[in-house]
């Protein structure tokens, strides 16, 4: 089993914990990381969810991360970040 299939920047970690606490999201929820679509049109899927039967759950620097087994190869090595700028603010995903 992989220890940490994704990385989370310090700012993203702060924002995730802040959201979990302020929105009073229950402890059984975690950050779902995956892909939507296929081929060149694939986009990243990030959100809070509970694990299902085809999911793997990881503890990445204190954040509960949920990844569907069929998405694991696509998200392996990704870095989740957070940016705030003139165009808005939000989470980013970069794949090495």
């Amino acid at each position: 089993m992989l220890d940490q299939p994704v990385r989370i920047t310090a700012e993203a970690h702060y924002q995730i914990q802040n959201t979990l606490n302020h929105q009073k999201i229950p402890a059984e929820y975690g950050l779902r990381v995956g892909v939507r679509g296929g081929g060149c049109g694939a986009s990243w899927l990030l959100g809070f969810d509970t694990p299902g039967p085809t999911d793997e759950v990881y503890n990445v620097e204190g954040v509960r991360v949920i990844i569907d087994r069929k998405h694991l190869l696509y998200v392996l090595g990704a870095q989740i970040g957070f940016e705030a700028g003139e165009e808005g603010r939000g989470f980013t995903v970069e794949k090495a």
Side-chain angles (χ1 to χ4, degrees):
M1 184 151 119
L2 299 168
D3 232 6
Q4 297 194 355
V6 297
R7 296 182 320 273
I8 300 174
T9 67
E11 182 62 23
H13 185 275
Y14 171 79
Q15 294 294 337
I16 291 165
Q17 295 296 358
N18 193 39
T19 301
L20 288 169
N21 292 333
H22 282 89
Q23 299 296 325
K24 295 181 172 62
I25 297 174
E28 63 268 15
Y29 280 71
L31 179 69
R32 178 171 294 282
V33 180
V35 290
R36 182 182 356 213
C40 295
S43 61
W44 291 100
L45 172 68
L46 289 175
F48 295 106
D49 199 2
T50 55
T54 62
D55 292 326
E56 296 288 339
V57 180
Y58 303 92
N59 183 335
V60 180
E61 299 182 35
V63 173
R64 188 173 192 205
V65 174
I66 302 166
I67 303 172
D68 189 308
R69 286 184 200 107
K70 64 185 175 203
H71 293 210
L72 191 55
L73 279 177
Y74 300 104
V75 303
L76 195 61
Q79 177 173 284
I80 300 164
F82 188 88
E83 291 182 355
E86 293 178 17
E87 297 179 17
R89 49 187 274 136
F91 290 97
T92 61
V93 181
E94 293 181 19
K95 182 87 162 99

